[in-house]
């Protein structure tokens, strides 16, 4: 199974503010949708609550939580249990948030990064990975747009 993280961050690695995204870029939401569509997505409980407790359509939604259980989505109290459940899958996306990226980025094989060009204020960050580009991470795709860039990295 390929484990891929998908994230949008600003130049300072800000990814969230007050439990929400600090920005709204419809281009990025469309990219997220077409990249993850048809594949399982794993998220932290905070992200799931942010979605209003509604799973994203067309993808198997998996929630990580040590305290909550949801009837309508598989919820796991550990990442290993979630991976065991998904072991037959070709690719699985980690869609955040901060706690989830921080703990499991080391296990990811691919990174789908949206670089947001503008700076934002925030309280949640993606872990620093850019110092490992060229040693751990190899850029395999880059699409530069006016306000953002879509970049894909593969573990070397
Ligand atoms: N820009 C982006 O691409 C992007 C993507 C996603 C999210 N975000 C932002 O990130 C922020 C949310 O991130 P966050 O760090 O606050 O929360 P989070 O990572 O979404 O969720 C944290 C929760 O996940 C559960 N959890 C964490 N580690 C676990 C483990 N090892 N096993 C089982 N459960 C585990 C815990 O739930 P319990 O407390 O229930 O035990 C924990 O409270 C929001 O602002 C959101 O908008 C941004």
């Amino acid at each position: 199974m390929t484990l891929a993280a998908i994230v949008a961050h600003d130049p300072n690695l800000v990814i969230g503010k007050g439990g929400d995204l600090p920005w709204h870029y419809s281009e990025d939401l469309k990219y997220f949708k077409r990249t993850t569509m048809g594949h399982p997505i794993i998220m932290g409980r905070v992200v799931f609550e942010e979605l209003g407790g509604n799973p994203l359509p067309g993808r198997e939604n998996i929630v990580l939580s040590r305290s909550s259980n949801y009837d309508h989505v598989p919820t796991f109290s550990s990442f290993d249990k979630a991976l065991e459940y998904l072991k037959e899958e070709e690719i699985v996306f980690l869609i955040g948030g901060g706690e989830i990226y921080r703990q499991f980025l080391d296990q990811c094989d691919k990174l789908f990064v949206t670089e947001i060009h503008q700076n934002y204020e925030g309280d949640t960050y993606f872990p620093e990975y850019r110092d490992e580009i060229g040693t751990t991470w190899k850029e395999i795709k880059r699409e530069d747009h006016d306000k953002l860039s879509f970049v894909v990295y593969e573990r070397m």
Side-chain angles (χ1 to χ4, degrees):
M1 177 217 295
T2 297
L3 185 63
I6 183 162
V7 66
H9 68 67
D10 88 342
N12 296 315
L13 298 174
V14 166
I15 62 165
K17 186 183 179 191
D20 216 333
L21 295 178
W23 48 69
H24 181 88
Y25 292 97
S26 57
E27 215 180 337
D28 184 49
L29 296 178
K30 284 182 201 146
Y31 176 77
F32 174 85
K33 188 173 176 184
R34 70 172 179 270
T35 305
T36 59
M37 190 51 71
H39 306 293
I41 51 178
I42 302 181
M43 70 199 86
R45 194 256 312 155
V46 173
V47 168
F48 187 60
E49 295 288 343
E50 191 186 312
L51 297 174
N54 300 315
L56 293 176
R59 289 146 280 192
E60 181 159 29
N61 289 229
I62 308 291
V63 177
L64 292 181
S65 172
R66 300 186 188 94
S67 64
S68 305
N69 229 316
Y70 302 96
D71 291 338
H72 57 310
V73 282
T75 311
F76 294 96
S77 59
S78 87
F79 189 55
D80 285 348
K81 286 181 195 159
L83 291 185
E84 174 63 22
Y85 174 78
L86 294 167
K87 66 181 177 206
E88 304 299 333
E89 299 291 340
E90 195 184 321
I91 184 162
V92 172
F93 286 92
L94 275 194
I95 68 160
E99 270 193 44
I100 299 305
Y101 294 135
R102 204 156 49 240
Q103 293 173 77
F104 308 118
L105 184 63
D106 281 354
Q107 296 182 47
C108 289
D109 311 295
K110 267 188 164 183
L111 297 183
F112 290 76
V113 174
T114 301
E115 295 175 353
I116 306 287
H117 298 169
Q118 190 181 317
N119 288 294
Y120 286 84
E121 278 185 21
D123 52 27
T124 314
Y125 292 81
F126 195 69
E128 186 55 82
Y129 66 98
R130 295 170 297 191
D131 48 355
E132 294 182 342
I133 295 168
T135 50
T136 301
W137 298 109
K138 178 182 173 191
E139 183 181 304
I140 57 168
K141 199 170 173 188
R142 170 176 285 273
E143 253 183 61
D144 291 317
H145 296 253
D146 185 25
K147 294 182 175 164
L148 40 78
S149 301
F150 299 118
V151 192
V152 182
Y153 298 97
E154 201 168 63
R155 189 174 285 280
M156 292 168 81

